[in-house]
Amino acid sequence: MTNKEKKAFLTAIPELAEQKGISEEKVIDILKESFCLAYAKKIENEYQVFSNTYAKKNKEDSIKLTPAMVRCEIDMKKGDIKLFRQWTVRNDDDIVDDFIEIAIEDEKVVEAGLKVGDIYEEEFDINNFDYQDALKAVTNFRQKISRAEKESLVEAYKGKVGELVTGVVQKVDPHSIIVELDRYQATLFEREWIGKESFRVGEQIKVFIKGIGKDSRDSKNGSLIQISRACEGFLARLFKNEIHEIYDGTVEIKDIARIAGIRSKVAVYSSDPNVDPCGACIGPSGSRIQAIVSQLGKPSGDTLEREKIDIITYHENLGLYLAEALKPGVVKGAVISPDTSSAIAICEDGTEKFAIGKGYQNINLAKKLLKLKEITVKTETEAVDEGILYTTIEIFEAEEKEAEKRKNREKALALQKLKIKEEKEAEATKVDFLSKDEDIDEIEDLDTTFEAVTAQVSENKEVEPVEEKVETPVETVEAAPIVEEKVEEKVETPVETVEVNTTISLNDLEAILEQEKKTKQAEQGSNKKKNKKDENKSENKVDVKKPLKKMDIYTEEELREFESEDDFDNDYYSDEDDFSEYDDDDYYEDK
């Protein structure tokens, strides 16, 4: 190719990718496949062999072989296209098909320095392609590009089915228009229009995506993207876009029956008793419903057709639902067939024509809405004359109230069962750690072990094995008194002997004895506090060390003397002695 042709080739690939909505890499891969297919076909024709893929049906005697191995290389910087034919290198004895295999002893293989299992290639000059070869490459390229475009289209719009999209009118025909939807085109046929609306080229319109086919043959109308403005989904999406209560789910659209461009009935329902579903859709002074009606129908010539919309309340009770669907006719009662496939509506005299509607529009919409095969309208007078026994609206209302109560009771029971189930599951999963004495013992042992290890680390800063530290309960109990006795020996002070001087008066002697008694009591109180502290320390400690032997301060004989002196004091002075006579001064006078 010339430099000008190479430049045009490099420019065409990005443009084609953008136009078809696919990536440049995908376009290049398709181009390589097309060249490989055309080159493989050329080789087969030269050798007069037909592979399994390209075998001709009218040549039964043709030898069917594996297609030729070819490779295409495209340099996007230089714009060069190269084709290579390939063979697999085999040992001479292992060659089965020399159409795709070559011997290792071949001079070309030896010269290339290849080994068994490598690929030997020979380049082909693409300028040797004739017209038929180029035509095959172009045809295959177009087919693959079209298939890739459809796959990309399906991938882009598979999440938009059931949505409203805005398109631009590209072409207008008497019975159809072409609408461009973000680089893709779809056909909007006349049966999908709203009445007899008209369109102009370049005009923006809203369309509803009904579905997408993987191939144009999958769609009945021959369009890959199926769009409509006359279906019920188009009207439902308009309500959702214009009315906030429907968008957030407060109000729900239950059913829609529509004669596009003429009249529609929309049944709405709200589970919130404080919300009027019909009032929410109509809006203040009909502002909301007018905003929707203004988007239904376009001027056709000198006339302006607008679609009328009836907003009705949905009822689960079929009799009340029938009365709502036949408005503005006033229904007094109804007879519904056992299989709920047909019904007889008894209307107030003079309102039957409104229930039927102009051109049977109202009754036909009621059939679609209630999914009934037949609805017969009769007046009250006709019902009496014919002896028709019907259920009144009051009875239908009472039935609906009972059904509502029953539904609420069932819902409450279901919630109660669910609550009980959750409580049982919570109790089943709850773990009671204090349910067994063994668990208590294990917990106490673990805590004691932890405290023992912590105390040992804080005192000695060396953690000994736990087995050596933990002593049996018997040893712990025996060790505690030893510590307590030694503490008493350390704290106890020697008792001083008091020599009574007969020259001292009795008052002074009594004061000295009282002071000595208080001092002794204070010392005993302090000793008890210290002993309690030592007992607490000994209880917290599990590892009780053996007391060290120390030299006694007093001998045993001295201790016995102290005890005898205490007994003498106790015997000499008792609490029952009365010293009041010594308080009188007359006692000391000379007698």
Side-chain angles (χ1 to χ4, degrees):
M1 291 190 299
T2 62
N3 292 334
K4 186 176 181 180
E5 292 174 344
K6 292 180 180 180
K7 186 176 180 180
F9 170 74
L10 295 175
T11 306
I13 290 180
E15 293 178 354
L16 180 64
E18 183 178 1
Q19 180 182 357
K20 299 298 181 180
I22 55 181
S23 61
E24 294 185 22
E25 292 77 8
K26 185 68 175 178
V27 175
I28 295 172
D29 292 340
I30 293 174
L31 188 60
K32 289 180 180 180
E33 292 177 7
S34 301
F35 276 117
C36 288
L37 178 65
Y39 183 32
K41 189 64 178 175
K42 182 179 180 64
I43 295 173
E44 292 172 1
N45 291 336
E46 289 178 356
Y47 286 87
Q48 295 183 353
V49 295
F50 301 94
S51 65
N52 293 327
T53 307
Y54 308 107
K56 293 183 179 180
K57 296 180 180 180
N58 57 352
K59 293 186 178 181
E60 297 179 357
D61 299 334
S62 299
I63 302 174
K64 298 179 180 180
L65 300 175
T66 305
M69 296 171 58
V70 296
R71 183 175 69 88
C72 180
E73 183 180 300
I74 299 177
D75 189 349
M76 292 302 298
K77 295 181 179 180
K78 298 179 180 180
D80 294 333
I81 301 176
K82 295 180 181 180
L83 289 172
F84 301 88
R85 183 181 177 184
Q86 298 178 328
W87 290 268
T88 303
V89 179
R90 303 289 185 191
N91 290 322
D92 193 15
D93 297 336
D94 297 335
I95 293 178
V96 178
D97 187 359
D98 59 357
F99 191 66
I100 57 174
E101 296 175 338
I102 189 171
I104 194 171
E105 292 85 1
D106 193 291
E107 295 180 359
K108 296 180 290 185
V109 176
V110 174
E111 184 178 354
L114 301 176
K115 57 183 179 180
V116 176
D118 292 343
I119 300 297
Y120 171 74
E121 293 183 336
E122 286 185 359
E123 186 176 354
F124 172 76
D125 189 0
I126 196 172
N127 294 322
N128 294 331
F129 265 0
D130 55 16
Y131 175 76
Q132 293 295 330
D133 298 332
L135 183 61
K136 291 175 183 177
V138 172
T139 302
N140 186 264
F141 179 75
R142 289 177 177 175
Q143 292 176 352
K144 290 183 180 295
I145 285 291
S146 178
R147 189 178 299 112
E149 181 184 7
K150 292 175 182 178
E151 291 176 356
S152 176
L153 176 64
V154 171
E155 187 67 24
Y157 277 86
K158 67 180 181 180
K160 296 184 179 181
V161 176
E163 298 289 338
L164 278 182
V165 295
T166 302
V168 179
V169 179
Q170 294 292 327
K171 184 180 179 180
V172 178
D173 291 331
H175 303 290
S176 65
I177 62 172
I178 306 298
V179 181
E180 183 178 359
L181 306 172
D182 190 19
R183 302 194 307 270
Y184 302 106
Q185 292 184 348
T187 303
L188 182 65
F189 292 91
E190 185 180 11
R191 60 176 175 271
E192 301 294 344
W193 296 357
I194 301 176
K196 296 181 179 180
E197 58 185 351
S198 60
F199 302 94
R200 299 185 305 273
V201 176
E203 180 184 6
Q204 289 187 351
I205 60 172
K206 291 182 178 180
V207 294
F208 180 78
I209 300 180
K210 295 173 63 177
I212 298 175
K214 293 184 179 180
D215 190 80
S216 59
R217 292 173 294 182
D218 296 340
S219 177
K220 295 180 180 180
N221 56 22
S223 178
L224 184 62
I225 303 178
Q226 303 170 23
I227 58 176
S228 174
R229 285 172 57 85
C231 65
E232 289 78 6
F234 180 84
L235 184 59
R237 293 302 303 181
L238 284 180
F239 268 85
K240 188 174 182 179
N241 293 344
E242 296 293 337
I243 300 173
H244 178 72
E245 287 79 1
I246 294 179
Y247 180 80
D248 63 12
T250 306
V251 177
E252 180 182 357
I253 297 177
K254 287 291 187 178
D255 294 303
I256 293 180
R258 188 180 185 198
I259 302 175
I262 300 176
R263 193 170 183 177
S264 297
K265 284 184 179 289
V266 181
V268 293
Y269 171 79
S270 177
S271 58
D272 189 349
N274 298 322
V275 176
D276 179 14
C278 294
C281 294
I282 295 172
S285 303
S287 58
R288 291 184 172 183
I289 195 66
Q290 288 300 325
I292 295 173
V293 171
S294 63
Q295 302 180 58
L296 301 175
K298 299 176 67 61
S300 178
D302 297 334
T303 61
L304 180 62
E305 297 181 359
R306 294 294 185 188
E307 185 174 328
K308 297 179 177 63
I309 301 177
D310 296 338
I311 307 296
I312 65 173
T313 303
Y314 172 80
H315 292 276
E316 292 185 358
N317 186 282
L318 191 58
L320 296 178
Y321 197 14
L322 176 64
E324 286 286 334
L326 290 178
K327 286 183 178 181
V330 180
V331 179
K332 291 295 184 179
V335 180
I336 300 173
S337 63
D339 58 353
T340 65
S341 61
S342 61
I344 300 174
I346 309 301
C347 296
E348 184 180 336
D349 291 346
T351 63
E352 69 279 2
K353 59 182 179 180
F354 300 109
I356 296 172
K358 181 181 179 181
Y360 295 91
Q361 292 176 7
N362 199 56
I363 195 170
N364 288 336
L365 289 174
K367 289 179 184 178
K368 290 183 180 179
L369 206 62
L370 276 70
K371 300 176 179 59
L372 297 176
K373 295 180 180 178
E374 186 64 32
I375 296 178
T376 304
V377 176
K378 292 184 178 296
T379 62
E380 291 181 284
T381 303
E382 292 175 346
V384 172
D385 294 341
E386 298 178 9
I388 300 175
L389 299 176
Y390 61 88
T391 305
T392 62
I393 295 297
E394 290 76 11
I395 296 177
F396 285 129
E397 291 176 351
E399 290 177 354
E400 187 179 46
K401 289 181 180 179
E402 285 295 327
E404 187 69 22
K405 291 180 181 178
R406 184 168 57 255
K407 186 177 180 181
N408 292 335
R409 286 196 298 268
E410 292 175 355
K411 187 183 295 185
L413 288 174
L415 291 175
Q416 186 177 4
K417 290 180 180 179
L418 181 61
K419 185 177 180 180
I420 294 173
K421 183 179 179 181
E422 291 177 353
E423 290 177 355
K424 288 182 178 179
E425 291 178 353
E427 291 178 358
T429 56
K430 184 178 180 181
V431 180
D432 187 4
F433 292 100
L434 303 178
S435 60
K436 296 181 180 180
D437 295 337
E438 296 178 358
D439 296 336
I440 299 174
D441 296 338
E442 291 177 2
I443 293 173
E444 291 178 351
D445 293 342
L446 291 174
D447 294 342
T448 304
T449 305
F450 176 79
E451 293 175 358
V453 173
T454 306
Q456 187 67 21
V457 171
S458 62
E459 291 179 4
N460 302 334
K461 297 184 179 180
E462 293 181 1
V463 180
E464 298 179 359
V466 178
E467 296 179 357
E468 297 178 4
K469 292 181 183 181
V470 179
E471 298 180 357
T472 59
V474 177
E475 295 177 8
T476 304
V477 173
E478 291 178 356
I482 297 173
V483 175
E484 185 175 348
E485 290 177 2
K486 290 299 179 180
V487 171
E488 290 179 357
E489 290 179 3
K490 292 178 183 179
V491 177
E492 187 178 0
T493 57
V495 180
E496 297 179 359
T497 58
V498 179
E499 296 180 357
V500 180
N501 191 353
T502 56
T503 60
I504 299 176
S505 64
L506 291 175
N507 290 335
D508 296 338
L509 179 61
E510 185 179 0
I512 292 170
L513 293 175
E514 187 68 17
Q515 182 65 28
E516 182 180 356
K517 187 176 181 180
K518 290 182 179 179
T519 304
K520 188 175 182 180
Q521 289 177 354
E523 290 176 354
Q524 290 178 354
S526 62
N527 290 339
K528 288 181 180 180
K529 291 181 180 179
K530 291 181 180 180
N531 291 337
K532 287 182 179 180
K533 292 181 180 180
D534 294 337
E535 287 177 2
N536 295 332
K537 291 181 180 179
S538 63
E539 289 176 0
N540 293 332
K541 292 183 180 180
V542 176
D543 186 12
V544 180
K545 296 183 179 180
K546 295 181 179 181
L548 299 176
K549 293 182 178 181
K550 296 182 181 179
M551 184 176 65
D552 296 334
I553 299 175
Y554 301 101
T555 63
E556 295 181 359
E557 295 178 357
E558 291 175 342
L559 292 174
R560 282 195 295 270
E561 290 178 0
F562 292 150
E563 291 176 359
S564 62
E565 290 177 358
D566 292 338
D567 293 339
F568 172 78
D569 293 338
N570 293 333
D571 294 339
Y572 189 81
Y573 298 106
S574 65
D575 295 336
E576 296 178 356
D577 293 339
D578 186 9
F579 297 99
S580 59
E581 60 178 337
Y582 298 104
D583 295 335
D584 190 0
D585 294 338
D586 296 337
Y587 179 79
Y588 297 99
E589 292 181 359
D590 295 335
K591 292 183 181 179

